[in-house]
Amino acid sequence: KQMLQQNAGWTKEHAETLELAIAALQEHPDWVGVTPGDVIVSLLSKRSNVVLLSSKSGKASAVLHLGYGNPRLVTAHMMLTKAGLAVDILALASHARDGFPTNAESGQWPLTSWCAMAYGAAEGGDPTGALISRLHKLSTSWFEPFRAEIIGDLPMLAEEPANSALYPLVTDRRGREVSKHIPSEKLRDLMALLPRPTGQHAERLVTVHGDLYDGNVVRMSTDGPQLLIDFEYMSVSCAVHDLAFSCDDLGVMQDYLQEMLGRAPTTDEVEELAFESIIAYHIHFYVLREVIWTKSLPHPEGKSLAEITVMLDSYLDHARSLAEVVAVIRACQALRHAVVEFPAGLEGGGCMYEKAIFLEKMQALVKAST
């Protein structure tokens, strides 16, 4: 009743789900004897689907994810928990416990899916190279059923390599609707032009978190290990996708390579991976995300077909020029070093330049070298 009164986004179904969650948590030792009246509920998400449950005594707490019914999320979460990389799942909605069944009539997951998780009060800090390497050493086979499902929604992905940069963007509902707004042939042309990651460690096919920044890293205690949360974009793609979020931190690159190689990496190996990470960051945030998240009319924020065509043509031109300059820099260690040094004296990091400025700076470097 309290949450229904305080939040317009809450429905009776939310309240019923909350009651079910508290009842199911009784199976966990920390929650034995905690009644619904003993629980304090507070929102942790503006979207009203993540709440913190705390007992008044302070003895027990859990995060409740309402709508946690996506089989990919549950599968990924269970795998990470088993590997010691995620917060433990304390309770799942009953239908999520037995093979992730769908609604027989609609083929969709029931709206009452939820997951209660142990709550880590401490922020985890920036993801370390060691954390990322542990994630990237996990099996990739878990994703294959979901890859087939995604390709069914976006057939042009069948032509893309398994480590395509598109996968982390099209795993969620918003990305899955890209075919409604962007002509497949244009997206195909864009992917053909954009430089793909090169190098053993950059292009390696791995399980990626997809949104690996400090806000998605927690600790259960101040001295506990880093753990991951929020698996909305989790998929299998190239390793450099996760490393892109740390592209301006050579220490992360060095620690990551140390873990993956079992030896100290050379300066050239570190800078090569950092360069590929910077390019991946630029492509993800300033090209693909802008394209994939474009809306068409009649969406209130939608563009007309003519506007979308003009936008896509500009991105195709950008991709063509970007590929040309990246090819030159990859072939020259001194140029690569100069690009890696971009972030050094810049607030926010050089990898965060808007796409046109980023391209101009790289082109200027190449021109100066010749």
Side-chain angles (χ1 to χ4, degrees):
K1 289 181 180 179
Q2 173 191 352
M3 297 307 294
L4 285 170
Q5 292 171 355
Q6 293 180 357
N7 195 292
W10 269 56
T11 65
K12 182 179 179 182
E13 186 177 58
H14 281 94
E16 292 173 349
T17 300
L18 191 59
E19 293 177 358
L20 287 171
I22 294 172
L25 283 171
Q26 300 296 312
E27 299 175 13
H28 192 274
D30 289 349
W31 286 81
V32 173
V34 178
T35 66
D38 296 328
V39 177
I40 300 171
V41 182
S42 53
L43 289 176
L44 285 179
S45 167
K46 293 180 180 179
R47 292 180 294 178
S48 308
N49 63 348
V50 184
V51 296
L52 170 63
L53 308 180
S54 305
S55 61
K56 292 179 180 178
S57 66
K59 173 186 174 184
S61 61
V63 172
L64 178 67
H65 286 250
L66 303 170
Y68 201 84
N70 186 314
R72 178 179 54 84
L73 296 183
V74 178
T75 300
H77 192 158
M78 287 181 169
M79 177 182 66
L80 292 176
T81 298
K82 186 176 180 180
L85 287 169
V87 182
D88 287 342
I89 297 175
L90 298 186
L92 282 170
S94 57
H95 72 271
R97 296 177 181 176
D98 304 314
F100 317 128
T102 56
N103 183 294
E105 295 180 4
S106 67
Q108 302 296 316
W109 277 64
L111 296 176
T112 52
S113 287
W114 53 269
C115 169
M117 306 191 312
Y119 179 60
E123 294 181 354
D126 293 327
T128 63
L131 174 70
I132 302 171
S133 69
R134 288 180 64 200
L135 172 64
H136 288 182
K137 289 177 181 178
L138 297 179
S139 170
T140 59
S141 61
W142 69 275
F143 186 64
E144 291 313 305
F146 308 113
R147 186 193 303 278
E149 176 187 323
I150 294 168
I151 290 175
D153 290 337
L154 192 59
M156 64 82 56
L157 266 174
E159 305 167 23
E160 282 287 294
N163 68 350
S164 173
L166 283 174
Y167 278 108
L169 281 166
V170 299
T171 51
D172 76 321
R173 186 181 306 172
R174 175 168 45 176
R176 205 76 70 86
E177 295 178 348
V178 61
S179 59
K180 296 180 182 178
H181 314 292
I182 304 298
S184 292
E185 63 274 14
K186 289 287 189 180
L187 187 56
R188 185 181 293 109
D189 291 344
L190 179 63
M191 296 308 297
L193 288 170
L194 286 170
R196 298 185 188 274
T198 64
Q200 173 189 359
H201 301 289
E203 64 181 304
R204 178 186 283 116
L205 185 72
V206 298
T207 289
V208 297
H209 180 276
D211 195 19
L212 196 50
Y213 74 109
D214 60 352
N216 286 330
V217 180
V218 299
R219 297 180 192 270
M220 294 301 290
S221 60
T222 54
D223 58 350
Q226 288 189 317
L227 300 171
L228 300 171
I229 61 172
D230 191 356
F231 314 120
E232 184 179 4
Y233 303 107
M234 193 160 170
S235 63
V236 165
S237 183
C238 53
V240 77
H241 180 83
D242 278 343
L243 292 164
F245 289 81
S246 303
C247 64
D248 59 350
D249 191 333
L250 292 181
V252 169
M253 302 296 152
Q254 181 162 337
D255 291 346
Y256 176 83
L257 287 171
Q258 174 84 47
E259 295 291 333
M260 301 302 287
L261 292 168
R263 62 167 173 80
T266 65
T267 299
D268 192 44
E269 286 173 326
V270 172
E271 291 188 347
E272 180 181 354
L273 186 58
F275 173 74
E276 295 297 329
S277 299
I278 289 172
I279 301 304
Y281 182 99
H282 177 77
I283 289 173
H284 176 74
F285 283 100
Y286 294 105
V287 180
L288 290 182
R289 194 159 79 165
E290 295 292 323
V291 171
I292 297 299
W293 289 358
T294 295
K295 298 296 183 184
S296 60
L297 296 174
H299 190 279
E301 300 174 3
K303 300 177 184 292
S304 68
L305 180 58
E307 290 174 322
I308 289 176
T309 301
V310 170
M311 178 198 74
L312 288 173
D313 286 343
S314 73
Y315 278 104
L316 288 172
D317 289 340
H318 178 76
R320 191 175 293 109
S321 299
L322 181 67
E324 291 174 357
V325 73
V326 165
V328 174
I329 294 173
R330 278 175 173 161
C332 178
Q333 182 179 359
L335 285 175
R336 199 166 58 234
H337 174 77
V339 174
V340 171
E341 290 297 308
F342 272 0
L346 301 166
E347 184 178 354
C351 54
M352 297 180 69
Y353 284 128
E354 187 271 339
K355 68 182 179 71
I357 298 175
F358 181 77
L359 178 60
E360 288 170 3
K361 286 188 170 291
M362 298 237 290
Q363 288 172 330
L365 270 179
V366 171
K367 185 177 180 179
S369 72
T370 56

